[in-house]
Amino acid sequence: MSSRLRELIRNVRQAKTAAEERNVIAKESAALRNAFKDQDVTYRHRNVSKLMYIHMLGYPTHFGQMETLKLIAASGFPEKRIGYLGLMILLDERQEVLMLVTNSLKNDLNTRNQYIVGLALCALGNICSNEMARDLAPEVEKLLASTNSYVRKKAALCATRVLRKVPEAIETFADKAAGLLTDRHHGVLLSGTTLMLEICEIEPNTIEQYRRHVPMLCKILRSLLMSGFAPEHDVGGITDPFLQVKVLRLLRVLGKGHADASDQMSDILAQVATNTEGARNAGNAILYECVQTIMGVESVGGLRTLAINILGRFLANRDNNIRYVALNTLAKVVGVDTQAVQRHRTTVVECVKDADVSIRRRALELVYALVNEGNIKTLTKELLDYLKVSDLEFKPDLTSKICMLVQRFAPDKQWHLDSLLQVMQQAGAYVKEEVCRALIVLISNAPELHGYTARCMYRALKDSADQAELTLSLVTSTCWFLGELAHPSLAFKMIVSAAGEYGELLLGTADAPLQDGEQPLSVSSQELVSLLESVLSKVTIGPVGREYALTALMKLSTRLPDHSQYIQGIVEQYRGSSILEVQARSCEYSHMFKLDGMRAALLEHIPPLDESTYTRNLGNSQVIDGAAAAQVVANGDIADAPASAGNLADLLSLDAPDDSVGASASASSAVTALQDLLSGDLSSDVAAAGGKQAIEDLLGGMGQMPASKPTNLADLLGGSAPSTSDSTGVFADLLSQPTPSSTPQYEPITAFEKDGIRAVFKLSKPAGQESVTDIEASYSNSSSEAITDFSLQAAVPKFMQLRLEPASSSTLAANSSDAVTQKLHVKNNMHGQKPLVMRLRIGFTSGGANKVEQAEVKNFPAGL
């Protein structure tokens, strides 16, 4: 005879090593095998109990699974209890042996003993398979109408599992689930609301059917709220908080998008929000669910303000979990009622300084959403004060958010400059390149701030140079920290180049009045040159820093002719530099000193970049965000864009003017580069014509090239040409005969070409479907290595629909042409109003390295 369960537990706990424990389990398992073999009926329930304990320790117990079925088939309740418990622990729905218990379950569901029925329902609700759920669903439905509240509660919980396995049975359960709301037993009410929520989730069409029960749900909630002390339901002074939470959740589902249902529940929601005590977790759980319901239904403004004030109280709670929930919820509702959230701005800013990093990140995201033109100065000051003492791992996010806020809401250019300079001095290592570029554009277009900028930059450079062992001289005062980085900050580059561009403004050689509150600065030309020389001597600034410093000195050689020889000596010191780029610049600049007649012209001030052109080009070059609200389609799969997402065209920069869509990606990039370099204001027509026409327009005197070759006979003969939209020629005009309509033909376009991969789109339109475009993509690989794991994803604006079929293969053989094909189908719901545009994301493996490339296809022919 084997030992008792208590003795087995004692022996396992007394084992000092894993080997001893395994020895104990092995002996007990052998004894259990012998007992099962001998058909020991007397101690079968005890043996199965020990088998469950061994299973929980992680040891194999498959040899005793059949014993649980024998216990379930027994007539006594103790045996069935152990049998069903063993069934739920030792087996799962994937095992075939489970099918043997279906008949026993059916018999137990029809017995008169409520406890045996409860055991069967509990087991069925935990491990039933699809077949078991389909076979036993009628018995569960019948038990929902039982006169015993205990059985009804168990049946409702079991029905949730049955409906997940057999969704087609919802029609038979929907009415009976709603009928449980009339029950007075709290357990039945809780399981009934749970079942209704499950039905609404599986079949949204039932929501309209359940909306007529909103008054009943409000009555249940009011009775719970107004009832006195009930010991059997009291949790922390709150009457049955679990039922209240479920009812509130069901009300949120029923009231979403329905004004009448929302009006019916508004009074009780206000009562719950004002009468529930939030001193304990039970009350806080109800208040949180109440806030979720208020914000989820069509509630009035006063009710939303009440909900947001509850979240404001949560922010003052000492429990980090409650504060995190409040911040997370406020971030979701800030777009619904910004003014109400603004009242808690001070508390939110304090959460940015919290010791918990998760709370800090959530609070920072909320602050970013709260900033506007009226509070930008106050909030930026708070964030800058915290930036000085924030943790290193938190500085990147904080710095990025501050820079974006300053760029977006700056009230004036001087404040913009001052704020970004503070960020660069405190956390310059995390300032992005785009921020520095935008600041350069801002300064170059503000002549009244040139002198002020030069003085601010000099002070920052001087302060950083005094801390050589801790910073990258100017690098530390502007962008990057000294330490692990191998190159100086971009803000450092900007400040050094500013010293070269506007350095003479420091020396009193130009009209540069002091700004309000600015301290006067006296700088000699020798001090300025010496400061840049000291920057060059710093080992820590890296090669890029030396390149910018050399360029700044070269610029000053023409502004400060008295120091030209001295600067030449500094520049020539780096002709033997081990860094190729620094050496090349030094040699080139040294040669420029011999060109006295041309040097001044070569080193003229850079003309200011046009801010609107720069902003437009920056927007057109944005990449897809990982959270972009796009209709992104992978091979063979379609993902619908969420309804709450923003304008996809803004996120993906696909909403371009109609007259600029015809340019290819490469031609558009070339024109953009010419705009930046030459400060030209190229029109969208120039961009549409491609790089060649843009260059001809910039050079001037070349005349305007025709957009296409003359196809009309009148053009060839020098006659009066008809409009370019006439594609039938002069003979059609003479004969006045309309050309019969035919399916338009389009030339193939190159959508992507990089790293040896070339994607060509062949375009066609189905007959009678003007808004639909069929695309046959063919992929080629001109490299000498095979491309594996090739996949293409695509994104289109919200007003378009895209269906992407699987590619014929995921491997592109070396030196192959059109070896892999794939079909895409696009429907433009705004055909004739907006052109077809697309964003591509191509992933592949080449040479053992995984690569991802992105491209924007804007060169689709007109009319798509």
Side-chain angles (χ1 to χ4, degrees):
M1 184 181 69
S2 61
S3 60
R4 296 175 180 270
L5 175 61
R6 188 176 303 172
E7 295 176 0
L8 173 62
I9 296 174
R10 185 185 302 113
N11 294 335
V12 170
R13 290 180 176 178
Q14 289 177 351
K16 297 181 179 180
T17 63
E20 290 183 15
E21 179 183 303
R22 288 194 297 270
N23 188 35
V24 172
I25 296 299
K27 291 180 179 179
E28 190 62 38
S29 298
L32 288 176
R33 285 190 179 93
N34 292 331
F36 294 153
K37 184 178 180 180
D38 297 339
Q39 299 292 324
D40 188 355
V41 179
T42 305
Y43 297 104
R44 177 176 288 161
H45 65 283
R46 189 174 74 181
N47 292 336
V48 173
S49 300
K50 290 189 290 184
L51 197 67
M52 287 187 284
Y53 178 70
I54 293 173
H55 175 80
M56 288 187 288
L57 291 178
Y59 294 95
T61 56
H62 58 278
F63 57 87
Q65 292 175 349
M66 292 299 297
E67 298 300 312
T68 61
L69 274 63
K70 295 177 181 178
L71 285 176
I72 292 173
S75 58
F77 174 76
E79 290 79 6
K80 286 184 177 291
R81 181 176 60 179
I82 297 297
Y84 278 119
L85 182 60
L87 181 73
M88 291 182 284
I89 293 178
L90 300 179
L91 283 80
D92 57 50
E93 60 178 282
R94 296 169 295 179
Q95 297 183 8
E96 296 181 359
V97 69
L98 194 64
M99 295 299 298
L100 301 175
V101 80
T102 303
N103 190 55
S104 297
L105 280 169
K106 187 172 184 178
N107 294 333
D108 290 341
L109 289 174
N110 293 316
T111 189
R112 294 184 178 181
N113 189 325
Q114 62 173 351
Y115 299 109
I116 294 179
V117 175
L119 287 175
L121 288 170
C122 186
L124 185 63
N126 274 280
I127 64 168
C128 76
S129 60
N130 294 347
E131 294 77 9
M132 291 176 64
R134 189 173 291 105
D135 294 339
L136 299 177
E139 278 70 22
V140 177
E141 178 192 356
K142 188 190 304 180
L143 292 174
L144 282 174
S146 172
T147 57
N148 191 310
S149 59
Y150 174 81
V151 174
R152 291 198 302 274
K153 176 186 70 174
K154 293 284 188 179
L157 293 176
C158 180
T160 59
R161 169 85 176 202
V162 170
L163 292 180
R164 289 176 193 159
K165 297 296 181 181
V166 191
E168 57 269 20
I170 283 181
E171 293 183 3
T172 59
F173 283 89
D175 292 334
K176 292 192 175 181
L180 297 176
L181 295 179
T182 59
D183 204 296
R184 293 185 177 183
H185 191 276
H186 283 210
V188 178
L189 289 173
L190 181 60
S191 57
T193 53
T194 303
L195 179 57
M196 292 176 69
L197 281 169
E198 188 69 26
I199 292 174
C200 292
E201 181 179 351
I202 297 174
E203 183 52 63
N205 293 332
T206 57
I207 295 178
E208 186 63 34
Q209 175 185 344
Y210 283 160
R211 283 199 173 110
R212 57 190 175 89
H213 298 290
V214 169
M216 176 61 70
L217 291 169
C218 294
K219 181 180 178 181
I220 295 172
L221 196 56
R222 186 176 288 106
S223 65
L224 292 173
L225 197 63
M226 301 302 178
S227 62
F229 176 75
E232 65 274 18
H233 301 131
D234 184 82
V235 178
I238 305 295
T239 302
D240 205 342
F242 303 101
L243 180 56
Q244 292 192 47
V245 167
K246 284 289 184 180
V247 172
L248 286 169
R249 192 171 299 171
L250 183 56
L251 286 174
R252 180 167 76 248
V253 172
L254 300 180
K256 184 178 181 180
H258 197 273
D260 293 340
S262 301
D263 290 340
Q264 292 176 0
M265 64 182 74
S266 59
D267 290 341
I268 188 60
L269 291 177
Q271 292 180 32
V272 173
T274 53
N275 296 335
T276 302
E277 181 63 39
R280 297 189 179 181
N281 277 343
N284 288 328
I286 295 174
L287 288 174
Y288 171 70
E289 201 64 41
C290 182
V291 170
Q292 293 279 73
T293 302
I294 291 173
M295 304 309 297
V297 302
E298 305 298 320
S299 55
V300 296
L303 204 56
R304 288 199 301 267
T305 302
L306 178 61
I308 292 174
N309 290 338
I310 292 174
L311 296 176
R313 295 205 305 269
F314 281 1
L315 291 178
N317 200 297
R318 294 182 179 180
D319 191 332
N320 285 350
N321 294 323
I322 295 178
R323 285 195 291 165
Y324 181 85
V325 165
L327 289 169
N328 197 28
T329 309
L330 284 172
K332 296 177 180 178
V333 305
V334 66
V336 179
D337 196 342
T338 307
Q339 195 60 37
V341 181
Q342 287 281 3
R343 299 191 185 100
H344 308 282
R345 187 178 62 216
T346 304
T347 310
V348 173
V349 173
E350 288 300 318
C351 290
V352 177
K353 307 173 185 178
D354 194 85
D356 192 314
V357 63
S358 59
I359 291 180
R360 292 202 303 267
R361 294 188 186 280
R362 282 296 181 186
L364 183 59
E365 294 175 1
L366 184 55
V367 168
Y368 181 67
L370 289 175
V371 174
N372 54 35
E373 291 82 355
N375 57 26
I376 177 64
K377 290 188 176 181
T378 303
L379 287 179
T380 302
K381 183 179 182 301
E382 293 282 349
L383 294 177
L384 286 173
D385 291 341
Y386 176 63
L387 184 61
K388 298 177 183 177
V389 296
S390 62
D391 298 334
L392 289 179
E393 64 271 14
F394 191 58
K395 282 185 183 290
D397 287 343
L398 184 57
T399 303
S400 176
K401 287 291 190 294
I402 294 175
C403 291
M404 285 189 288
L405 293 175
V406 170
Q407 288 180 294
R408 185 177 179 184
F409 298 108
D412 56 72
K413 294 182 178 181
Q414 182 180 345
W415 184 88
H416 188 157
L417 171 64
D418 293 339
S419 300
L420 286 186
L421 194 56
Q422 289 185 58
V423 176
M424 293 174 187
Q425 289 175 325
Q426 296 175 19
Y430 311 105
V431 177
K432 295 182 179 179
E433 182 179 0
E434 293 80 5
V435 177
C436 300
R437 290 177 179 172
L439 188 57
I440 291 175
V441 175
L442 179 78
I443 294 171
S444 63
N445 284 276
E448 69 279 4
L449 290 179
H450 285 180
Y452 177 74
T453 301
R455 291 187 291 271
C456 290
M457 298 300 182
Y458 180 84
R459 290 190 181 98
L461 188 62
K462 182 69 174 175
D463 294 342
S464 297
D466 295 338
Q467 305 174 18
E469 69 276 11
L470 296 177
T471 67
L472 286 172
S473 66
L474 281 179
V475 180
T476 313
S477 67
T478 57
C479 233
W480 295 110
F481 274 167
L482 178 65
E484 301 294 332
L485 301 177
H487 57 85
S489 69
L490 296 163
F492 164 71
K493 306 171 192 176
M494 181 196 63
I495 288 183
V496 174
S497 60
E501 290 298 320
Y502 310 121
E504 72 273 12
L505 300 181
L506 289 168
L507 311 176
T509 59
D511 184 18
L514 294 176
Q515 301 294 320
D516 294 339
E518 183 187 1
Q519 296 296 325
L521 178 65
S522 177
V523 181
S524 67
S525 58
Q526 182 59 46
E527 288 176 335
L528 179 57
V529 174
S530 299
L531 180 58
L532 292 176
E533 183 183 9
S534 66
V535 170
L536 276 169
S537 64
K538 304 295 182 182
V539 179
T540 55
I541 67 170
V544 180
R546 286 195 175 87
E547 295 164 17
Y548 275 82
L550 284 172
T551 304
L553 281 170
M554 198 63 193
K555 291 257 185 179
L556 289 177
S557 67
T558 60
R559 276 65 152 177
L560 310 175
D562 294 341
H563 297 272
S564 179
Q565 294 295 327
Y566 184 72
I567 292 175
Q568 181 178 1
I570 298 174
V571 172
E572 289 181 348
Q573 292 177 10
Y574 294 90
R575 297 185 66 175
S577 174
S578 60
I579 302 170
L580 183 60
E581 183 65 26
V582 175
Q583 181 188 105
R585 293 201 182 204
S586 177
C587 293
E588 292 165 359
Y589 292 159
S590 298
H591 184 71
M592 288 175 63
F593 278 102
K594 301 176 183 179
L595 308 174
D596 291 334
M598 298 176 57
R599 184 158 53 91
L602 290 173
L603 300 175
E604 276 291 334
H605 285 292
I606 296 176
L609 298 173
D610 183 74
E611 288 188 79
S612 59
T613 304
Y614 174 80
T615 303
R616 182 172 66 251
N617 295 338
L618 183 64
N620 290 336
S621 63
Q622 294 296 322
V623 298
I624 299 178
D625 192 343
Q631 188 184 34
V632 179
V633 185
N635 286 343
D637 298 327
I638 299 178
D640 295 330
S644 60
N647 193 324
L648 176 65
D650 294 336
L651 289 173
L652 301 183
S653 303
L654 293 175
D655 196 8
D658 292 347
D659 56 356
S660 64
V661 174
S664 65
S666 59
S668 178
S669 300
V671 175
T672 301
L674 286 170
Q675 286 181 266
D676 293 338
L677 290 172
L678 302 178
S679 303
D681 187 11
L682 300 179
S683 67
S684 58
D685 292 331
V686 175
K692 180 179 179 181
Q693 183 178 342
I695 295 172
E696 291 169 352
D697 290 343
L698 288 170
L699 295 177
M702 300 289 289
Q704 184 174 1
M705 299 296 293
S708 62
K709 296 181 180 180
T711 58
N712 196 295
L713 183 60
D715 292 336
L716 296 174
L717 299 177
S720 175
S723 63
T724 57
S725 62
D726 185 1
S727 61
T728 62
V730 67
F731 294 106
D733 294 335
L734 294 173
L735 299 175
S736 299
Q737 291 290 339
T739 301
S741 60
S742 61
T743 304
Q745 300 295 324
Y746 302 99
E747 290 293 329
I749 63 170
T750 300
F752 176 85
E753 188 169 8
K754 189 176 182 182
D755 294 336
I757 298 177
R758 185 169 183 261
V760 176
F761 285 178
K762 297 178 182 178
L763 311 170
S764 63
K765 279 187 173 295
Q769 301 184 42
E770 291 296 327
S771 62
V772 177
T773 303
D774 293 334
I775 302 174
E776 182 178 356
S778 57
Y779 309 120
S780 305
N781 177 19
S782 60
S783 64
S784 58
E785 294 183 356
I787 301 295
T788 59
D789 300 328
F790 177 85
S791 65
L792 179 138
Q793 295 176 323
V796 295
K798 288 169 61 177
F799 59 84
M800 297 184 186
Q801 296 176 358
L802 174 63
R803 181 167 61 88
L804 187 63
E805 296 183 6
S808 59
S809 175
S810 61
T811 301
L812 301 180
N815 300 315
S816 61
S817 177
D818 299 338
V820 178
T821 60
Q822 189 172 14
K823 291 186 178 181
L824 300 85
H825 308 277
V826 184
K827 182 178 181 181
N828 187 355
N829 295 321
M830 300 187 69
H831 179 261
Q833 303 178 34
K834 290 192 176 183
L836 177 61
V837 284
M838 187 180 296
R839 177 80 73 173
L840 302 180
R841 186 175 187 270
I842 298 176
F844 57 96
T845 301
S846 177
N850 295 326
K851 298 182 180 180
V852 176
E853 297 290 345
Q854 294 179 353
E856 183 176 332
V857 186
K858 299 175 65 176
N859 57 331
F860 287 101
L864 297 181

